[in-house]
Amino acid sequence: MTTTTSTTAAPTEAVATASTAATASTADAPALIRFRPTGLDTAPEVNALLERLGLGPFAPDGLTAFGGRNDNWAGTTTRGRQVFVKTVARAADGSRPEIDRALAFEATAARLPAGSPLRTPEHLGTDRESAVSAFRLLPGSRSGSEVALDGDFDEALCREAGRAVATLHTLGTAGGASDGASGGEAPDPASAPAIDTGEAPLPPMRWLRAFPWSEVQDRSMAQIAAWKLVQDDTEVVAALHRLRERERTAPHTPAHCDLRFDQFLVHDGQLFLCDWEEFRLADPARDVGAFVGEWLFQATYSVFAPTGEPTSAKDAVAPGFDLSHEEIVERGAAGLRHHIPRIAAFWQGYTECRTPDPELAERAVGFAGWHLYDRLIATAQAHAVLNPVARAAAGIGRTLLLNPAGAVATLRLADPAVPHPAVTPAAVLPTAVAHPAQPHPADAPSGSPR
């Protein structure tokens, strides 16, 4: 059993859990959804790690969890430390690639100077054998997805996000053996896990044709329909292959590779970037494109909100079947006009901290196109059919994938000194948004790792 500890900043993600939902609020923060965590009697490795770190076990009162795909616990220990603990899944062969990638980030991030634009919650320790990690809890923090939905992920925060991501992309590399340091010392880059150099899993090229029937059973009907939109579109499939080829020849840097709004936390007015289980050497355009894609997904959802701008989760998923063609175009253009300045602010922050390679912006647009399909597939998990929002996202994603160069200036990813064009519906919004594609039959096998 190896326990690694660090005095440097590192990841945390609101992921895990369980059965019964509850809502908690404080005087200085909006109500946030919390969940009842998995019982610690079924996960003794959690308190075992905390005790080995000298923090004391979790006090049972007030213990809670965040939503997500992995078990987690947030609360105060018997020694008064506020801690967030999460587990990650092991691979089928018993290896722990996600933990190893996160530990590789720890070793790399140890080189960050004080005051760096890249902030991550303090990593307290990891039990690699049990795949459990502990971090300092940031009480009252809000996830980036909550902040964006509330309209508070403004241009200033977007610029900070750009600076953080650019700083990540300029980090040096760390190499070494399989296990991190132990005994309360910061991880030694020479003994930390090597940075993963394997190809990022998404988009999953092997799923563009078909997948085993056994996988169908784990997909919702809406997910199957979403993948049909991809698999039946030969132009999109060809564009994804081109994007992958461009990625292979692009300069690679340390990259997050799973960037979404909910990987950011806002705490005491500062922005933190979290969740490093997919950290690897990759095309930096992946992260830039994912951030752009998040805003385009928000713009798509705003088309179908009752006021054209989502103000709650309920509004953001309003079906919108009764909207006219003119209303869809008008709302789509308004959403883009509202969000594109945030994309521009992100790019400004990014270029302040790093000079991108000449083709990065164009590749980023391609990855933004894929990101829209990716979010479409992920959010379809709980649905039986695709709603117009999902089809609108697919339409925009298709436009960006087929002509990434044509959207660089519109999305404000060009040289800031060059005048940018006015945002028009035709620039990014395809006709597929105004006239969503008709559902494909869902009787043929299709799906993804999502």
Side-chain angles (χ1 to χ4, degrees):
M1 180 178 300
T2 300
T3 299
T4 67
T5 61
S6 173
T7 57
T8 64
T12 185
E13 180 198 5
V15 290
T17 104
S19 47
T20 305
T23 300
S25 64
T26 62
D28 57 354
L32 304 177
I33 296 176
R34 297 292 181 261
F35 296 85
R36 182 172 300 160
T38 298
L40 287 172
D41 54 340
T42 65
E45 64 273 13
V46 171
N47 278 333
L49 171 62
L50 294 178
E51 294 197 66
R52 283 199 303 278
L53 294 173
L55 304 173
F58 271 125
D61 293 341
L63 191 62
T64 187
F66 299 90
R69 60 191 173 89
N70 297 316
D71 279 336
N72 67 60
W73 300 259
T76 304
T77 70
T78 56
R79 295 190 179 181
R81 295 291 298 273
Q82 291 185 304
V83 178
F84 174 80
V85 177
K86 69 174 179 179
T87 64
V88 298
R90 302 184 191 184
D93 62 2
S95 63
R96 304 159 183 81
E98 293 186 347
I99 283 289
D100 286 344
R101 285 192 286 266
L103 290 176
F105 168 78
E106 293 295 335
T108 307
R111 306 174 183 183
L112 288 170
S116 168
L118 177 58
R119 305 180 190 92
T120 60
E122 181 186 1
H123 173 239
L124 302 174
T126 291
D127 180 345
R128 183 178 178 277
E129 183 176 343
S130 298
V132 177
S133 295
F135 308 92
R136 183 173 70 87
L137 182 66
L138 302 178
S141 62
R142 302 166 65 198
S143 79
S145 58
E146 294 168 336
V147 175
L149 194 60
D150 289 340
D152 296 332
F153 210 133
D154 58 17
E155 292 176 33
L157 274 180
C158 287
R159 179 171 171 268
E160 287 304 304
R163 290 171 57 82
V165 172
T167 300
L168 166 64
H169 293 167
T170 61
L171 287 177
T173 61
S178 59
D179 290 333
S182 61
E185 300 175 356
D188 178 5
S191 62
I195 294 183
D196 191 344
T197 59
E199 191 172 70
L202 299 176
M205 308 309 289
R206 64 193 182 98
W207 301 111
L208 296 182
R209 292 179 298 179
F211 67 106
W213 173 251
S214 59
E215 296 289 339
V216 177
Q217 302 173 61
D218 295 327
R219 313 290 171 222
S220 72
M221 294 301 291
Q223 280 185 311
I224 291 174
W227 267 96
K228 287 289 289 179
L229 290 177
V230 179
Q231 293 171 327
D232 290 352
D233 192 328
T234 57
E235 289 184 304
V236 165
V237 170
L240 288 171
H241 279 284
R242 288 194 300 272
L243 182 62
R244 277 293 204 183
E245 286 302 317
R246 295 187 71 177
E247 175 187 23
R248 293 186 183 104
T249 59
H252 282 198
T253 69
H256 190 282
C257 291
D258 192 25
L259 201 69
R260 302 187 307 271
F261 285 156
D262 60 5
Q263 312 294 26
F264 290 95
L265 294 175
V266 178
H267 175 69
D268 287 345
Q270 293 188 316
L271 193 68
F272 292 76
L273 181 54
C274 315
D275 186 10
W276 301 93
E277 283 76 22
E278 291 300 324
F279 174 73
R280 68 187 71 222
L281 289 180
D283 184 352
R286 281 185 166 273
D287 292 342
V288 175
F291 192 86
V292 173
E294 285 285 83
W295 282 118
L296 294 178
F297 199 62
Q298 287 275 324
T300 307
Y301 268 65
S302 73
V303 170
F304 297 98
T307 62
E309 174 71 16
T311 56
S312 70
K314 181 179 179 181
D315 287 343
V317 296
F321 283 100
D322 58 343
L323 294 177
S324 69
H325 171 89
E326 291 75 17
E327 287 175 317
I328 290 176
V329 172
E330 181 182 354
R331 291 186 179 191
L336 287 170
R337 282 192 293 268
H338 186 72
H339 292 317
I340 283 180
R342 293 165 174 170
I343 295 172
F346 172 87
W347 187 244
Q348 178 189 357
Y350 188 90
T351 55
E352 287 173 355
C353 293
R354 179 175 187 265
T355 301
D357 68 82
E359 296 183 353
L360 187 147
E362 189 173 323
R363 298 195 310 276
V365 172
F367 279 113
W370 160 250
H371 189 82
L372 288 166
Y373 279 106
D374 180 55
R375 301 314 300 150
L376 158 64
I377 294 164
T379 56
Q381 182 176 2
H383 301 284
V385 296
L386 291 178
N387 63 22
V389 175
R391 296 184 180 279
I396 295 175
R398 185 179 196 276
T399 297
L400 299 181
L401 279 168
L402 297 190
N403 183 23
V408 168
T410 299
L411 294 176
R412 307 276 295 277
L413 298 181
D415 186 336
V418 177
H420 60 84
V423 177
T424 64
V428 176
L429 286 174
T431 56
V433 174
H435 301 286
Q438 294 302 309
H440 288 283
D443 54 357
S446 61
S448 87
R450 281 292 184 192

